[in-house]
Amino acid sequence: MADLIKLGNERRMKEVMKLGSTIAMKKRTERGSGNRDGERCTSTNPHSFGNELRACLRCRVVKTYDQFRESGCENCTFFKMEEDPERVVDCTTPNFNGIISAMDPGRSWAARWLRIGRFLPGVYTLAVSETLPEDMQNICEDERVQYVPLKRV
């Protein structure tokens, strides 16, 4: 019985994520931002919500390991995770707390409070429990991209 409830919840979550991505894409297209020259205007939503989820240590977007390996992180393209599977392990973590779906991060007070207001719409974690390795922090500095390690609570 519990397995059926869990399966039903996963299906509903997938439908909500799919609907959220569609709405966010329509809103961005209406405003005229993103989606120029085939550019993605949303982050890829997780395909499943099991133990294989990982969060980017810089932007905290949540996807599966396979999704990071295939398409990298849409907010942190300079890490080039899709080119080097080892970078996926270096730049992501399976240790995080909570999940939030941001359909319009720029207008959401919760997204701004979590410091994800400038990122693409998608699924994010509330907090990660690790910091970005020093060599990846150096890449952020080289790209002039801010990395703010989260304070441990």
Side-chain angles (χ1 to χ4, degrees), residues 16-26 42-43 45 103 121-122:
V16 168
M17 295 300 173
K18 190 182 293 184
L19 177 62
S21 291
T22 305
I23 291 170
M25 192 171 295
K26 284 181 183 177
T42 61
S43 176
N45 292 325
M103 294 189 289

Side-chain angles (χ1 to χ4, degrees), residues 5 9 18 30-31 41 66 69 74 115 122 129:
I5 292 172
N9 287 339
K18 190 182 293 184
E30 288 169 4
R31 285 195 313 246
C41 62
D66 292 334
R69 196 186 68 223
E74 290 85 358
R115 296 185 187 154
S129 56

